[in-house]
Amino acid sequence: MYESDLTRFLAELKQRNPALEDAQREGRARLWDRPQDPDAARRFGEARVPPQPYVYYPKDFT
């Protein structure tokens, strides 16, 4: 079966450093896997100001 250079490189990297995947998972958990607050998300949505339809001229341009 064909195996690309990149696939072989990643397999060798994981063999040389077995803790790599755990470190990646810890980094992902620290940055992305956070508890969500539905109330805060609702408030942010309600506070959103819609953009102007045409941004190059002000609203009161005559």
Side-chain angles (χ1 to χ4, degrees), residues 2-14:
Y2 172 74
E3 197 174 69
S4 71
D5 293 338
L6 182 60
T7 303
R8 280 193 299 260
F9 169 75
L10 291 174
E12 290 173 10
L13 183 64
K14 290 177 184 179

Side-chain angles (χ1 to χ4, degrees), residues 14-60:
K14 290 177 184 179
Q15 284 178 349
R16 282 186 270 146
N17 188 359
L20 181 65
E21 285 189 53
D22 291 334
Q24 288 176 326
R25 285 192 182 97
E26 288 174 12
R28 176 193 163 93
R30 185 173 38 249
L31 294 174
W32 298 106
D33 298 339
R34 296 177 181 247
Q36 301 298 312
D37 183 4
D39 186 48
R42 180 188 54 77
R43 287 185 283 126
F44 286 141
E46 290 172 354
R48 184 177 180 275
V49 177
Q52 295 181 26
Y54 193 70
V55 297
Y56 297 108
Y57 292 110
K59 271 183 159 177
D60 56 353

